[in-house]
Each structure stands twice: as C-alpha cells, then as structure tokens.
Amino acid sequence: SLARRCHQRSTAMLDVPFLPFCAFLGTLGLLCVAMVGTWCQHWRGGFSLDGSSRTFNWHPVLMVTGLVVLYGAAALVYRIPNTWSGPKLPWKVLHGSLALGAFVLSVLGLAAVFCFHNSQGTPNMYSLHSWMGLGTVLLFSCQWAAGFGAFLLPWAPAWLRALYKPIHVFFGSTILMLSVASCVSGINEKLFFSLKNGTTAYKLLPAEAVFANTLGLFILIFGVLVVGALARPSWKRPDSDSPGSRQ
C-alpha cells in the first residue's frame, strides 16, 4: 500500500549508519569537554588546588568529562557491531572500565567543590543542583556495583543476570539524563552566581553567558542522542543466552 511504501521510505531516510553516528557523537563529546575547559580557563581564571575558585573550576570539567561524555561512551559499548560476535568478556571489561573511569572523575569533581566550599566557609548541599548531582553519583555507584556483581563476577547465576539486565539498562539511561540535568543546572547556577557584581549581568547576555549556555545545549543534545541510540532497536546487540555467549 501507499502508506506502507511511505513508511518504508521515511524509515530508510532515518537509517543512519552506526559508525558515522558514533564519530559525530564522539566529536560532540570532545567539543563539550573542550568548551567546559575553555570556559573555566578563559572566563573563570583557570585551575589550581589551593581551595580558591580555581579549585572549584575542576568541578564542571570533571563532571562533564566523567558523568556525561565518558559515561555516554560506556553506555554505547554494546552498540558497536564488533561486540555482537565472539566472546563478551573483553567488552564487559571495557564497559565496566569506562564506567569506573567516569565514576572516579565524578568523585574527584565532587571533592573539588566540597574543598572549595569548605575553604570559603560556604554551606554544602543546599541547592537543587547539589541534591540532584550527589543523588546521581550515588545512584551511579549502586549501578556500577550491581552491574559488576551480576555481569562480571563468575558466580552470578544466569537467571539473576536475565532478571537484572533490563533494570541495568533502564537505570543506565536514567543516570545519563540525570547527569545531563545536573550539568545543565550547574552551568546555569554558576552563571547566576558569577555574572553580577563587577561584571555584565547575566540578563544582558554577555559573551560568557552565550558560550556557557551553548555548552549546556551541546551537553543536552549529546545526552539525548546517546539515549536515542540506546533505544534504537536495530542497534541493539542480538540477545543470546547460550552458555558460550555468557563466558
């Protein structure tokens, strides 16, 4: 029928190959990291470990790099067609290692902001951004530990893996979107705090505000594209529960 032909044509138009998409996504992720680093270096005074605002600047860089970009890379490991055949164990290790790296960077990012607040006498954990960010990291830690226990340790029974797998996948996407929300709200909060006395007000949209707002949009687009890739049926690893595929 005409409707079916139109549907097939529109589906073909949207059928982007995975590897070019992945290259675009990687470029976007690197751009986010470069932009957050540029923002903190050019407008916020650079980096140090002396407890000043330059110590705080490690916080956005580490959070965007770890909790968004590296985490997004970890989430997409099983969408790479090379992972669909042969032993799964090396890919499990890569997925877990990337996620662990993302977790370590996010913990260091939290340490940077707590160090800054404590040295300046600023209260911790009073804003919605801080609640959401800490909650995301705690949820991430639970996700990693449960995934390690269920999928990497040899004594986890097959039924437990099968039961936990959809939960793991769901919380993987959920944590990424919470990470994106935390980063975007953090950028906004930082601009409100910084662009006031002695600077051009945020509401007048100085160059720093345009740059940081654009960074926030790129982070949001990155997160949406990763979640979209995870949800795309044709990019999912064929599910095989044979003993050989489970190591």
Side-chain angles (χ1 to χ4, degrees), residues 24-221:
F24 170 77
L25 198 59
T27 303
L28 181 59
L30 291 174
L31 179 61
C32 290
V33 174
M35 285 184 71
V36 70
T38 301
W39 175 35
C40 293
Q41 180 66 46
H42 182 70
W43 279 286
R44 297 286 105 222
F47 304 91
S48 80
L49 297 174
D50 59 2
S52 68
S53 61
R54 292 184 302 160
T55 299
F56 171 86
N57 288 342
W58 287 108
H59 175 68
V61 171
L62 291 169
M63 288 309 198
V64 170
T65 304
L67 215 50
V68 176
V69 178
L70 203 57
Y71 185 88
L76 288 176
V77 162
Y78 290 118
R79 298 302 184 269
I80 301 171
N82 298 9
T83 69
W84 295 0
S85 59
K88 282 180 71 173
L89 185 60
W91 300 106
K92 286 182 179 183
V93 171
L94 177 61
H95 174 73
S97 299
L98 287 171
L100 181 60
F103 177 71
V104 169
L105 290 182
S106 63
V107 170
L108 292 174
L110 287 179
V113 72
F114 281 121
C115 176
F116 166 69
H117 281 175
N118 293 338
S119 68
Q120 302 294 317
T122 305
N124 290 306
M125 302 304 302
Y126 64 88
S127 67
L128 175 60
H129 162 68
S130 63
W131 293 5
M132 188 160 48
L134 185 62
T136 302
V137 174
L138 291 174
L139 187 60
F140 184 11
S141 67
C142 295
Q143 167 89 341
W144 193 92
F148 181 80
F151 301 121
L152 271 173
L153 295 182
W155 56 73
W159 66 264
L160 179 61
R161 295 182 184 189
L163 181 68
Y164 177 61
K165 183 180 175 183
I167 300 171
H168 186 76
V169 171
F170 169 77
F171 277 105
S173 295
T174 300
I175 290 166
L176 179 63
M177 293 316 296
L178 287 172
S179 302
V180 168
S182 300
C183 286
V184 170
S185 64
I187 290 168
N188 199 230
E189 185 178 289
K190 182 62 176 175
L191 290 173
F192 274 120
F193 281 147
S194 302
L195 299 180
K196 46 182 185 180
N197 301 330
T199 67
T200 304
Y202 189 13
K203 65 183 179 182
L204 299 177
L205 208 63
E208 179 182 354
V210 173
F211 188 88
N213 285 353
T214 304
L215 166 63
L217 286 176
F218 284 163
I219 290 170
L220 181 61
I221 292 168

